[in-house]
Amino acid sequence: MLVNKREGVQMAIATIILAAGGSTRLGQPKQLILADGETLVRRMAQQALALQAGPVVVVLGASQDRISNELAGLSVTTVVNSAWSEGMASSLRVGLRAIDWETTDAFLVMLTDQPYVTSTLLQQLIDTRNHTGRGIIASRYAEPDGVLGVPALFDTHYRREFLGLTGDTGARKLIQQYASDCTSVPFSLAGIDLDTPADLRHWQAQQASQ
């Protein structure tokens, strides 16, 4: 857990996993793609739970029953975004409203279509926050672009900014907007896309060859 050095106490970190999208371009729910025999949504939830840092909230929407079944037995809170088709911002709002902010000091935002996210990476985000005191700790994607994105850790005061987002706008907008309060950790495999059937076939071929 993140430690507040000034007070010497552990800080609680909530995690929001966005799993509400319809995966229209892929033609099947990304959340249910298998990686090492596990669906991506279950895999992401397990990585977040392994931190033992605070509550894990999974936002459901499209295919909610099938995806919810994949979380059976895990200590997560599921919430449903009935307006999931409006875009990512609506799912972020639903997830944020499910968190008890009186007992939360920071929050992680995760997706379900980044198969190489690990609890080690998430812990690096937390440790970097602890060391730098920055309000936003983002993942830095592979060079040469070096895009900053999720998974990312945010101080709780950014929740108001998230609640003001609309459409398909997500965490990246705030990372860019508040760059002066942001630092990053490297995550070279973050940019792997599973958006189309061709993307999925390419990734699965890579997996099979490893």
Side-chain angles (χ1 to χ4, degrees), residues 26-38:
L26 183 61
Q28 61 176 295
K30 290 182 186 180
Q31 302 92 325
L32 301 179
I33 291 172
L34 293 177
D36 296 328
E38 289 184 321

Side-chain angles (χ1 to χ4, degrees), residues 90-162:
S90 63
S91 290
L92 284 163
R93 291 195 299 270
V94 170
L96 288 165
R97 288 168 180 155
I99 293 172
D100 180 359
W101 294 103
E102 291 187 2
T103 59
T104 302
D105 300 295
F107 61 100
L108 280 163
V109 176
M110 297 173 60
L111 305 177
T112 54
D113 61 348
Q114 293 180 303
Y116 297 106
V117 167
T118 64
S119 58
T120 299
L121 171 68
L122 300 178
Q123 187 63 54
Q124 285 179 322
L125 295 172
I126 295 170
D127 291 344
T128 301
R129 161 68 190 269
N130 189 34
H131 296 151
T132 67
R134 295 290 182 89
I136 302 174
I137 314 297
S139 295
R140 185 173 70 253
Y141 296 9
E143 301 295 345
D145 295 333
V147 171
L148 300 184
V150 295
L153 178 69
F154 295 85
D155 187 89
T156 54
H157 73 261
Y158 283 107
R159 64 179 167 140
R160 293 187 180 88
E161 303 287 342
F162 274 97

